[in-house]
Amino acid sequence: MKVGDRHYRTIWLDEGEPSKVHIIDQRSLPHVFKVETIVNVQEMTVAIADMHVRGAGLIGAAAGFGMYLAARAAAIEGHNFSQELHQAAKMLLDARPTAVNLAWAVQRQLDAMAQGQEVADKVSIAYQTARLIADEDANHCKSIGIQGLSLIKDLSKAKKGKPVNILTHCNAGWLAFVDYGSATAPIYAAHDTGIAVHVWVDETRPRNQGARLTAWELQEHQVPHTVISDNVGGHLMQNGLVDLVLVGTDRTTYTGDVANKIGTYLKALAAKDNGVPFYVALPSSTFDWNIKDGVAEIPIEQRDGREVKYIQGLHQNELKEVLLTPPESKAANFAFDVTPSRLISGLITERGICKASEASILELFPERKQ
Amino acid sequence: MKVGDRHYRTIWLDEGEPSKVHIIDQRSLPHVFKVETIVNVQEMTVAIADMHVRGAGLIGAAAGFGMYLAARAAAIEGHNFSQELHQAAKMLLDARPTAVNLAWAVQRQLDAMAQGQEVADKVSIAYQTARLIADEDANHCKSIGIQGLSLIKDLSKAKKGKPVNILTHCNAGWLAFVDYGSATAPIYAAHDTGIAVHVWVDETRPRNQGARLTAWELQEHQVPHTVISDNVGGHLMQNGLVDLVLVGTDRTTYTGDVANKIGTYLKALAAKDNGVPFYVALPSSTFDWNIKDGVAEIPIEQRDGREVKYIQGLHQNELKEVLLTPPESKAANFAFDVTPSRLISGLITERGICKASEASILELFPERKQ
């Protein structure tokens, strides 16, 4: 997507120096646009754990590039290649537990490299695979945009062209993927084809990915939007002010349960209570084909309570962090929750839209049938 | 309640100078404890509208004192007493539309003063009535504590003395009333009788009354508590980590619909979905005996979007305000939502606990039957 006049992805290999990966450091957005250079898997792990990069698809792509950097370093240093690679894999996997794309990308790299004979081959394979993961992610998101566009078109027709009000939670925008985004892809597609849309942006505490990242994306793309606190969605739905809820996911079971940013479940309950369609957009890399019961089985990341007690923002043109609570108060920071499939109207994937049920998902992905 | 070693109410008449009302300016809590002096109804209106004071009961008490200050000024200045009084009443009523205690207290003052013959009598009546409203509020909250204690006792027994986990939203603590609080009164009562409790404190965006005020109150009273973002409650309830949801209300219909701080409805949905008891505590002054359908009829205050875009906190021992969103993004700020009675397990009033239904409410308040 464009930032100002220039097209960016969220992560890319340096054109001249294949030892360098560039990322947009998302921690300082929307106030400062900063590109960071990553030169080894240790730095990539920190970038993932400390959320310089975040979001289902981008974490996967970052892990893919991280494994490539690890392979490259292990080859150059000449130690035990396989051992170093598995150490790197473990380090990456520990960085964030809930998003399945991370584990998926690491495993994909290990499987791909296993096909190479020589260390040099393995490094080339890792290079190719990292690029492939990133390209696939961007392409899948682009397809999600086309698939989801039909939903928004229908709502727009039903409203006789009046703006379609879409509520989204967290950032499932292009910043959460390599490009386009999942939940935002249909919104950009609709806006670009001249359909009137308006987005209610949940600020998404505690890290405010909505207020910081989704609002910034929409602002850059000139999509009409309004930032709201996470508490507001229920009231809006009760009063007919939301036509569609559209969110992303960090892990979706093959039965249709959806782990997404903490608070998603509450919006799904409100959508159900008010008959508002609730859709989840995801590239198929976000499916977990091994988990049946999302609430019972998906591991939920707990982050430092500090992220709840302190918040960063702009004060007189400088980024400052302020304390929000009594200094002595404890804070808990569960990063995700699970929305049971019964609350979900449908899933928007790169292959089409399906119901949040095992049968419907497997109809779109028949190769996963056992 | 105590602040350090000294007992405070949230609003009180100066002992020596009856022309002065003191309030705790809640805007700078928990970082700075500041007492403000109010000398006329204009200042009181600003204090209510800009939320130096807030909360159902306290707004009522502040309006009561505001009307007294208005009567006093009108008597001294010798203009048209009745006209000035009605202007003051209108000004106070316009300060905040959702909380019914405000209108209730203003009307109570007007009705009381109508009983006096001379202007001097009316001022004395206003003085007495203002004190009465405040005392009643404190007493009712104390009674709510005793009534609600039984609920927590039962849960504690069922858990064999393990801490009862109570989730609360916003601040329905003593800072929201004249003393004791509504939702917190049973919690303080339980804690003081040695029952183990732990409170999940919703931070309550955008104004963070939970993170700032409830956490501060609980910290001062040494009640174990954990601050969470508003997004977390659903996940906690899904995982058996909440035994009771206990909130306040700014207006409750005689049919049991509850207007409370924005986001309450979402927690009620999650409680219903997970079989967690959801109780609302209120002094009877918070009932609106004229409104039947809360969602359709209770006016919902919309405040400045600035309160969503900026937040105040402590930075290097100074209060600083930081910008959270892109500067160009719009923000909407609905201050309350309505929880339908079907989601509410019961109401805790000064007279006892009843169901959130017309029949059950009128059984406790038979004098309201028509």
Side-chain angles (χ1 to χ4, degrees):
Chain A
M1 302 291 284
K2 286 199 168 174
V3 179
D5 284 339
R6 192 179 146 185
H7 180 267
Y8 277 91
R9 283 183 166 190
T10 52
I11 190 164
W12 65 98
L13 208 54
D14 191 278
E15 290 290 320
E17 296 186 62
S19 60
K20 289 183 181 171
V21 177
H22 302 292
I23 60 171
I24 299 171
D25 182 352
Q26 303 190 14
R27 293 172 304 166
S28 52
L29 285 174
H31 309 298
V32 181
F33 180 81
K34 204 158 70 179
V35 171
E36 184 182 354
T37 303
I38 302 286
V39 300
N40 57 46
V41 68
Q42 288 77 12
E43 285 182 6
M44 191 64 90
T45 304
V46 169
I48 293 171
D50 292 352
M51 296 176 69
H52 311 200
V53 291
R54 26 63 56 199
L58 177 51
I59 287 177
F65 282 114
M67 287 298 288
Y68 154 65
L69 291 176
R72 198 172 180 280
I76 291 169
E77 286 157 24
H79 303 307
N80 186 324
F81 184 84
S82 166
Q83 192 184 319
E84 296 226 346
L85 216 59
H86 281 87
Q87 273 171 3
K90 191 182 171 328
M91 189 167 61
L92 283 167
L93 289 174
D94 285 348
R96 303 213 48 202
T98 301
V100 76
N101 297 61
L102 181 60
W104 168 86
V106 168
Q107 194 57 49
R108 184 162 167 182
Q109 279 283 27
L110 291 173
D111 292 348
M113 281 188 261
Q115 306 299 315
Q117 295 297 320
E118 302 297 321
V119 161
D121 298 341
K122 289 175 191 284
V123 176
S124 298
I125 289 171
Y127 172 89
Q128 293 294 346
T129 305
R131 296 188 66 139
L132 193 62
I133 290 172
D135 289 346
E136 268 182 21
D137 184 77
N139 289 335
H140 283 173
C141 284
K142 198 173 178 183
S143 299
I144 287 169
I146 295 163
Q147 301 291 351
L149 176 58
S150 63
L151 274 179
I152 300 177
K153 256 189 188 152
D154 289 349
L155 289 167
S156 176
K157 260 186 213 158
K159 291 190 80 177
K160 301 197 169 107
K162 276 196 283 181
V164 178
N165 288 304
I166 301 166
L167 184 141
T168 192
H169 189 68
C170 196
N171 173 264
W174 71 270
L175 290 170
F177 291 85
V178 174
D179 211 345
Y180 304 103
S182 59
T184 53
I187 297 171
Y188 292 131
H191 178 79
D192 292 348
T193 56
I195 295 171
V197 292
H198 166 260
V199 184
W200 295 109
V201 180
D202 274 1
E203 66 173 340
T204 318
R205 288 280 293 145
R207 292 190 60 108
N208 279 29
Q209 290 94 336
R212 296 195 300 109
L213 306 178
T214 305
W216 180 76
E217 279 193 23
L218 295 172
Q219 183 64 35
E220 286 288 316
H221 207 82
Q222 299 289 307
V223 179
H225 66 282
T226 306
V227 179
I228 50 175
S229 72
D230 302 307
N231 287 320
V232 177
H235 173 72
L236 295 177
M237 291 188 232
Q238 233 177 10
N239 287 275
L241 297 169
V242 179
D243 301 306
L244 171 67
V245 182
L246 195 44
V247 298
T249 165
D250 297 81
R251 188 189 297 227
T252 295
T253 67
Y254 66 86
T255 55
D257 293 339
V258 164
N260 190 42
K261 184 54 53 195
I262 189 83
T264 303
Y265 166 51
L266 294 169
K267 296 304 141 60
L269 285 168
K272 188 77 171 180
D273 200 44
N274 294 286
V276 175
F278 182 97
Y279 279 84
V280 180
L282 70 158
S284 55
S285 54
T286 308
F287 279 114
D288 186 327
W289 302 101
N290 298 311
I291 286 190
K292 185 169 186 178
D293 181 337
V295 175
E297 296 177 69
I298 297 177
I300 299 298
E301 177 179 5
Q302 285 196 58
R303 299 182 61 83
D304 195 329
R306 206 180 182 285
E307 294 183 348
V308 178
K309 294 179 67 172
Y310 291 83
I311 196 166
Q312 178 189 266
L314 203 65
H315 176 80
Q316 296 175 348
N317 287 317
E318 274 182 57
L319 288 178
K320 291 255 191 298
E321 194 180 61
V322 297
L323 171 66
L324 301 174
T325 63
E328 308 86 359
S329 290
K330 276 199 313 177
N333 187 6
F334 297 87
F336 301 91
D337 63 19
V338 176
T339 300
S341 59
R342 66 184 151 89
L343 302 175
I344 298 168
S345 309
L347 307 176
I348 309 171
T349 78
E350 72 270 17
R351 291 199 193 163
I353 298 176
C354 67
K355 289 197 184 140
S357 73
E358 183 172 350
S360 188
I361 292 168
L362 288 177
E363 217 168 284
L364 270 190
F365 298 91
E367 72 275 23
R368 293 290 177 170
K369 278 185 194 160
Q370 277 159 359
Chain B
M1 303 291 285
K2 286 199 167 174
V3 179
D5 284 338
R6 193 180 144 184
H7 179 265
Y8 277 92
R9 283 182 166 190
T10 53
I11 190 164
W12 66 98
L13 207 55
D14 190 278
E15 291 291 320
E17 296 186 59
S19 60
K20 289 182 180 170
V21 177
H22 302 294
I23 60 171
I24 299 171
D25 181 354
Q26 303 191 15
R27 293 172 304 166
S28 53
L29 284 174
H31 310 298
V32 182
F33 181 79
K34 205 158 70 180
V35 171
E36 184 182 354
T37 303
I38 303 286
V39 299
N40 58 46
V41 67
Q42 288 77 15
E43 286 182 6
M44 191 64 90
T45 304
V46 169
I48 294 171
D50 292 352
M51 296 175 68
H52 310 201
V53 290
R54 27 63 56 201
L58 177 51
I59 288 177
F65 282 113
M67 288 298 289
Y68 155 65
L69 291 176
R72 198 173 180 279
I76 290 167
E77 285 157 23
H79 302 309
N80 185 325
F81 185 84
S82 166
Q83 192 184 319
E84 296 225 348
L85 216 59
H86 281 88
Q87 273 173 3
K90 191 182 171 326
M91 191 166 61
L92 283 166
L93 289 174
D94 286 347
R96 302 210 53 200
T98 301
V100 76
N101 297 61
L102 181 60
W104 168 85
V106 167
Q107 194 57 49
R108 184 162 165 180
Q109 279 284 27
L110 291 174
D111 292 348
M113 281 189 260
Q115 305 300 314
Q117 294 297 319
E118 302 298 322
V119 161
D121 297 342
K122 289 176 192 283
V123 175
S124 298
I125 289 171
Y127 173 88
Q128 294 295 347
T129 305
R131 296 187 68 139
L132 194 61
I133 290 172
D135 289 346
E136 269 182 21
D137 184 78
N139 289 335
H140 284 173
C141 284
K142 199 174 178 184
S143 299
I144 287 169
I146 295 164
Q147 302 291 351
L149 176 58
S150 62
L151 275 179
I152 300 177
K153 258 191 188 152
D154 290 349
L155 289 167
S156 175
K157 261 186 214 159
K159 291 190 81 178
K160 301 196 170 110
K162 276 197 283 181
V164 178
N165 288 305
I166 302 166
L167 186 142
T168 191
H169 190 68
C170 197
N171 174 263
W174 71 271
L175 289 170
F177 290 86
V178 174
D179 211 344
Y180 304 103
S182 59
T184 53
I187 297 172
Y188 292 132
H191 178 78
D192 292 348
T193 56
I195 295 171
V197 293
H198 165 261
V199 184
W200 294 109
V201 180
D202 274 2
E203 65 172 341
T204 318
R205 288 280 294 146
R207 291 191 59 108
N208 278 31
Q209 291 93 334
R212 296 196 301 107
L213 307 178
T214 305
W216 181 76
E217 278 193 23
L218 295 172
Q219 184 63 35
E220 287 288 315
H221 207 82
Q222 299 289 307
V223 179
H225 65 281
T226 306
V227 178
I228 49 175
S229 72
D230 301 307
N231 287 320
V232 177
H235 173 72
L236 295 178
M237 291 189 232
Q238 232 177 9
N239 287 276
L241 297 169
V242 179
D243 301 306
L244 171 67
V245 181
L246 195 44
V247 298
T249 165
D250 297 80
R251 187 187 299 227
T252 295
T253 67
Y254 65 87
T255 55
D257 294 339
V258 164
N260 190 43
K261 183 56 52 194
I262 190 81
T264 303
Y265 166 52
L266 294 169
K267 296 305 141 61
L269 286 168
K272 188 76 170 181
D273 200 44
N274 295 286
V276 175
F278 183 97
Y279 279 84
V280 180
L282 69 158
S284 55
S285 55
T286 309
F287 278 115
D288 187 326
W289 302 101
N290 298 311
I291 286 189
K292 186 170 185 174
D293 181 337
V295 175
E297 296 177 68
I298 296 177
I300 298 299
E301 177 179 4
Q302 285 196 59
R303 299 181 61 85
D304 195 330
R306 207 180 182 285
E307 294 184 347
V308 178
K309 294 179 67 172
Y310 291 82
I311 196 165
Q312 178 191 267
L314 203 66
H315 177 80
Q316 297 175 347
N317 287 317
E318 273 182 56
L319 288 177
K320 291 256 191 297
E321 194 180 62
V322 298
L323 172 66
L324 301 175
T325 64
E328 309 85 358
S329 290
K330 276 199 312 176
N333 187 5
F334 297 87
F336 301 91
D337 63 20
V338 175
T339 300
S341 59
R342 67 185 151 89
L343 302 176
I344 298 167
S345 308
L347 307 176
I348 309 171
T349 77
E350 73 270 16
R351 290 198 194 164
I353 298 176
C354 66
K355 288 195 183 141
S357 73
E358 183 173 350
S360 188
I361 292 167
L362 289 177
E363 218 167 285
L364 271 190
F365 298 90
E367 72 274 22
R368 293 291 178 170
K369 279 186 191 156
Q370 277 160 359

